[in-house]
Amino acid sequence: MSSLRNCVPRPAHKERSQPQARKKFGLREKHKDYVIRAKAYHKKQDTLKILRQKAAFKNPDEFNFKMINSKTERGNHRPKDEVNKYSAEELMIMKTQDIGYVFQKWQSEKNKIDKLTSSLQCTEGQSSRRHVYYAEDREEARELESESRSRSDISARGIPRDIKKKMDRSYRDLEARRSRANNLEKLYADMSMQKELQKKGRKRKLREDEILNPNGKPVYKWRADRKR
Amino acid sequence: MTHPQRRRGGGGRGRGLATGGGGSAVRGRGSESGGGIKGGGKVLVAPHRHAGVFIAKSKGDALVTKNLVPGEIIYDEKRIFVQNEDRSTVEYRVWNPHRSKLAAAINIGVDNIWIKPGLKVLYLGASSGYSVSHVSDIVGHEGCVYAVEHSHICGSDLVNMTEKRTNVIPIIEDARHPAKYRMLVGMVDIILCDINQPDQATIIATNASYFLKPGGHFMITISANSIDSKLSAETVYQKEVEKLQMEELKPTEILPLDNCEGDHACVFGGYRLPRKQNS
């Protein structure tokens, strides 16, 4: 015998959602979500506890054959140094790839700088550069002098704040890109110099007094050899 | 949901010579195209001291001219769209001072470029037509630009550009012989000269004697390396100016262009200006 309760519609009970003021924290955590979080936390804590116990009860006389050449630095195992892991050709190839990557990044920065400077032109603050005016006689010269002092283009005060903020941000971005391109260029020059030094070819290092523009870096001169 | 359109009156011009009327800067609900902000960005476009040139400030800070042919760009410059109160969009094109010496001179702050809407301009050394397009934007439909370019490669780019712009007339000829194109060019108000030849003073002088009206103006860009690479830049500029003065092309202003590579200078001046009466 089925009861009358089967005819009565039983609306599903809905979960309570996150209040509007706390919407930035995401979905509201229910007990089932808490259980998942707690289980993960306790599993990690248990693993750590076991590791701490193992460290506390470590046998000081333990030995393994790989301990002969390796060391422990500040709790980290350092395996034996592989001096000749890569051959000289492989090293050259890897160095070339590094140089290529740095060069590619440098070029992309330069292109971006070109694109940015086409629309960031520092339209203010230029009138102070030197101009040379030509005047017929003294009166015109005096006129020109008095005129040139009172001249201004669109002034900086008339710009609304949000547009000014955007402009400043763009200029700062341009500055950052410029300095980055500079650093990449120096890095590329250093790396390619090192690579050239490792190649065959008779060279010598110039002394201090032979260098024209001393900037702290060593300058090398190669012997003039005819290449094939 | 519409944003309120506000017209900025006055534009904060400050003291000084403000040529041309209307100091209002249009702050529209504008946007930049060509990879810039896609819609919704706010742009402030204000007229420059020179008529026909504007300054646009938003994410970028650039010289712009009003596009004579809306929707067309020459190589791939950015465009700025500003919406007016009556829902029409005005299109401006960015003028790159690294590509165009005239834009570099305006950016540095030249007193007077003498190019105004409605004038006739003769442009020697038009190259692919980048600067020519901006000059044609400034002079508008009433003015006219005669673009002279000798090379055929650049000339074909120039001709493609002028197909859309009706106020530019391309002339693929050597500027040393203005007699060859005298049938195409009338009297002009301004000559702009951007050819880097050692004899450019004579070139502009012959063209001026054919086409430039008395009281007209000129602009020359001098590249010190093209004229004489042994002398210093200042000497080269001085010598060129003397050559011009001998041909009745009186310079009023000379500007070194620092932001271009190499030693370049821009000379602005007048041709057969009327003598001042001694009062």
Side-chain angles (χ1 to χ4, degrees), chain B residues 41-57:
Chain B
K42 294 201 188 65
V43 190
L44 174 73
V45 176
H48 201 276
R49 191 177 67 228
H50 309 295
V53 185
F54 303 85
I55 296 187
K57 292 200 188 283

Side-chain angles (χ1 to χ4, degrees), chain B residues 221-278:
Chain B
T221 49
I222 307 179
S223 158
N225 285 335
S226 303
I227 310 282
D228 193 339
S229 44
K230 294 192 286 284
L231 305 173
S232 82
E234 306 292 336
T235 337
V236 173
Y237 304 148
Q238 207 44 47
K239 290 179 109 182
E240 284 301 306
V241 162
E242 278 162 25
K243 277 193 233 172
L244 292 171
Q245 276 168 332
M246 280 203 308
E247 315 270 0
E248 292 197 55
L249 290 158
K250 196 171 76 97
T252 52
E253 194 175 349
I254 170 168
L255 271 185
L257 298 175
D258 299 338
N259 51 5
C260 295
E261 286 148 25
D263 295 312
H264 291 267
C266 245
V267 182
F268 290 82
Y271 182 60
R272 293 196 192 157
L273 297 170
R275 291 233 179 114
K276 278 213 180 106
Q277 306 293 334
N278 288 336

